[in-house]
Amino acid sequence: TSHPASAGGSDRGRPAPVRARGFLRLGLLALLACVPYLPTLQHDFLPTWDDGVYVLQNHRIHHLNAANLVDLFRLHPQRGRMPNAQYTPLVELSFMLEKRAFGLAPGVFHLTNVLLHGLNTLLVFFFLRRLTGRPAWAGWAAVFFAVHPLHVESVAWVAERKDMLSGFFYLLALVLHLRGRDGLRFGAGAAWVAGLAAFLSKPLAVTLPAACLLCDFYRRGRVDRSSVRSLWPLWALAAVGIWITFHTHVSTDVAKSEDVLAFGSNLLVAARGVALYVEKFVWPFGLSAFYPVPEPGQPFGYSYYAAFAALVAALGGLAWLGARGKGRLAVFGVLFFLVVLSPSSRIIPVGMRFLAADRFFYLPGIGLFLLLAGGVDGLMRGRRLARWGGLGLAVGLAALWGGATGRRTQVWSDDETLWRDALAKYPDSAYVLGGMAQAVAARDSEEAGRYADRALAISERDGQTMLVKAFQTQRAGQFEASLDWLA
């Protein structure tokens, strides 16, 4: 496939009816992305799911003033703690502006997420159209991106504004990088600015230079030294971003050395997580807000070893194809998925122990959506029966996934509903039981106590559950017991 400078498409010089149809298609694509998420506009915040630390109890964002603005960008804040030790100043700034204009109206915060998802869907189209020069591939991939149920966690959860805002700037940086490669204005320099904004929205944007190299590989079938050197501003940004991320997590004890250095188990968890994402990409049902791993001391099941073997075999196959210049679409799609996912793959675990999270699929999944779109388009270019089969497959998937997305948004309506959904899937997870205890503690102290006792029977050192017990015993007037749980 050739990639002329105009591969991304330009409306300049086109007849007005053609431009009008193009704008109409883009409008419909954005509408398709937003409609399944309209129910979230009626949802509340999720205090036990990070909306508390990012919005409700984040007093830095409650007052828009110069001191708080400066504090958002400090590595060691002086006017409140950094939420979850994640350096996300632009996300907190967006919350600050919303709080100043509309107060703590949850519908406004949800609406911003929904609109950003619509914009990101358009950017997926622009990025893939410029990358491949194939509008049909870009169009179908954007449709699948718009409606896939794995994205509900990112869009319906206010605290995951990180995915929405970082995704916007990340995709914009990829588009600008390709413009620079095509010799157009607003290219490499603008890509660095967009990349900086992506990192200031979520540290996982450190994969951007590697993603740019994959784009160069797709277009040219190889990566040479000049391609690597030309990306030095993004490499420098990634290096600084990695240092900042480690610094904030280590200095706050979120990243624990015993977890980070457990290379063998981390590789198994990462491989099983990749397999889970692929499974849920194909069949996105039975989703959960939490996917547990075995408790410390418990053995890993055979599925972890099988997933690791499958991942090694897949990487070997990709290396063979890449070395021979074959299967460029497959190599790009799978490697884009793995590279962009890598910081979230649990190879270097931070915070709580879990296998995977739906929100981590948001940007990496674009590689798999492109593969699916290429297959659908290939069918549509075949004989009549294949064309109808390809169209039916694409439309059927979009309808099935869109409906599932609309239903999945209901699970994210409030804390208790979300925890009950996770508990139905993982009734023996200490973390889920502890979260359920937190969610119902204010409403029913006895019920919270029962969930907390079950959690501690599974994991006697679970800190969040001990905190629930401390509050429960304090409310019952058992102050000595409460102090013991706090200690």
Side-chain angles (χ1 to χ4, degrees):
T1 304
S2 61
H3 296 281
S6 60
S10 173
D11 288 334
R12 190 173 301 173
R14 292 182 181 178
V18 175
R19 291 199 300 270
R21 286 197 295 271
F23 286 128
L24 177 61
R25 292 191 187 103
L26 293 176
L28 291 175
L29 182 59
L31 188 64
L32 178 68
C34 294
V35 165
Y37 292 99
L38 292 181
T40 65
L41 304 186
Q42 305 298 321
H43 292 179
D44 204 345
F45 291 110
L46 304 173
T48 66
W49 284 88
D50 289 354
D51 285 355
V53 295
Y54 273 95
V55 181
L56 299 178
Q57 287 92 44
N58 185 359
H59 298 290
R60 294 196 299 171
I61 67 111
H62 288 188
H63 305 283
L64 178 57
N65 55 54
N68 282 345
L69 280 172
V70 171
D71 202 56
L72 295 182
F73 291 86
R74 289 194 178 105
L75 293 184
H76 297 282
Q78 300 173 4
R79 306 174 69 85
R81 70 188 183 98
M82 186 181 293
N84 290 347
Q86 287 197 332
Y87 188 64
T88 56
L90 289 189
V91 172
E92 290 186 76
L93 177 59
S94 73
F95 292 151
M96 180 184 284
L97 295 174
E98 286 168 311
K99 169 62 171 63
R100 175 62 178 267
F102 304 102
L104 290 176
V108 173
F109 289 77
H110 284 294
L111 177 61
T112 303
N113 275 20
V114 173
L115 294 177
L116 281 171
H117 179 59
L119 290 174
N120 289 343
T121 299
L122 297 181
L123 281 173
V124 168
F125 172 74
F126 293 137
F127 161 52
L128 295 180
R129 184 180 67 172
R130 182 162 291 278
L131 173 70
T132 65
R134 294 177 178 264
W137 289 10
W140 283 117
V143 167
F144 299 143
F145 177 89
V147 300
H148 201 280
L150 273 176
H151 293 167
V152 172
E153 183 169 302
S154 293
V155 185
W157 186 4
V158 170
E160 279 312 301
R161 174 75 54 80
K162 302 187 293 289
D163 291 336
M164 301 292 97
L165 202 57
S166 181
F168 174 82
F169 290 117
Y170 195 105
L171 290 166
L172 182 60
L174 290 175
V175 172
L176 293 170
H177 166 73
L178 292 173
R179 284 180 60 87
R181 291 294 194 241
D182 292 335
L184 301 177
R185 296 176 59 191
F186 304 110
W192 186 88
V193 175
L196 175 61
F199 170 74
L200 293 176
S201 302
K202 190 171 185 178
L204 300 183
V206 296
T207 59
L208 182 58
C212 290
L213 276 185
L214 285 175
C215 293
D216 294 344
F217 168 80
Y218 177 82
R219 283 191 163 191
R220 299 160 61 186
R222 59 187 174 85
V223 174
D224 53 32
R225 292 181 180 178
S226 63
S227 297
V228 177
R229 285 196 300 267
S230 65
L231 292 170
W232 71 264
L234 289 177
W235 292 119
L237 175 63
V240 173
I242 291 171
W243 179 85
I244 289 176
T245 302
F246 270 97
H247 175 75
T248 57
H249 284 76
V250 171
S251 64
T252 55
D253 202 33
V254 171
K256 301 183 184 302
S257 59
E258 62 270 22
D259 294 333
V260 173
L261 296 177
F263 297 116
S265 61
N266 291 346
L267 284 173
L268 288 175
V269 170
R272 183 64 187 92
V274 168
L276 179 67
Y277 289 120
V278 175
E279 293 167 16
K280 297 303 182 183
F281 163 70
V282 175
W283 187 251
F285 299 92
L287 302 179
S288 175
F290 184 76
Y291 300 97
V293 293
E295 296 290 339
Q298 293 182 353
F300 290 105
Y302 76 92
S303 61
Y304 286 80
Y305 297 94
F308 180 75
L311 181 60
V312 171
L315 289 174
L318 291 174
W320 184 87
L321 288 173
R324 286 158 179 75
K326 299 180 179 179
R328 197 178 303 180
L329 176 63
V331 173
F332 172 84
V334 176
L335 284 184
F336 186 93
F337 167 64
L338 293 175
V339 167
V340 181
L341 178 67
S342 58
S344 316
S345 64
R346 314 306 293 166
I347 292 177
I348 302 178
V350 293
M352 63 184 184
R353 289 172 54 86
F354 59 92
L355 178 61
D358 294 354
R359 60 188 179 276
F360 295 152
F361 186 82
Y362 192 74
L363 281 180
I366 293 171
L368 302 185
F369 292 132
L370 178 60
L371 281 176
L372 178 59
V376 166
D377 186 62
L379 287 174
M380 291 185 180
R381 292 177 181 273
R383 296 185 177 181
R384 183 177 181 181
L385 184 60
R387 289 199 300 271
W388 282 107
L391 180 62
L393 174 64
V395 173
L397 284 176
L400 177 67
W401 288 348
T405 292
R407 290 191 297 274
R408 182 68 185 165
T409 60
Q410 299 301 318
V411 175
W412 285 85
S413 60
D414 57 69
D415 272 335
E416 188 171 336
T417 302
L418 188 55
W419 280 116
R420 288 196 186 280
D421 177 77
L423 187 62
K425 288 147 185 167
Y426 299 104
D428 297 322
S429 166
Y431 183 84
V432 174
L433 286 164
M436 192 68 217
Q438 283 184 303
V440 303
R443 178 180 59 79
D444 190 331
S445 180
E446 290 188 6
E447 184 181 5
R450 290 194 295 271
Y451 286 123
D453 290 339
R454 287 172 58 189
L456 291 172
I458 298 170
S459 178
E460 62 181 13
R461 303 298 298 171
D462 189 80
Q464 71 163 358
T465 308
M466 293 181 187
L467 189 60
V468 173
K469 293 292 290 185
F471 283 125
Q472 181 197 23
T473 50
Q474 185 268 340
R475 287 173 182 150
Q478 302 168 14
F479 302 117
E480 292 294 332
S482 178
L483 290 173
D484 286 342
W485 285 115
L486 287 172

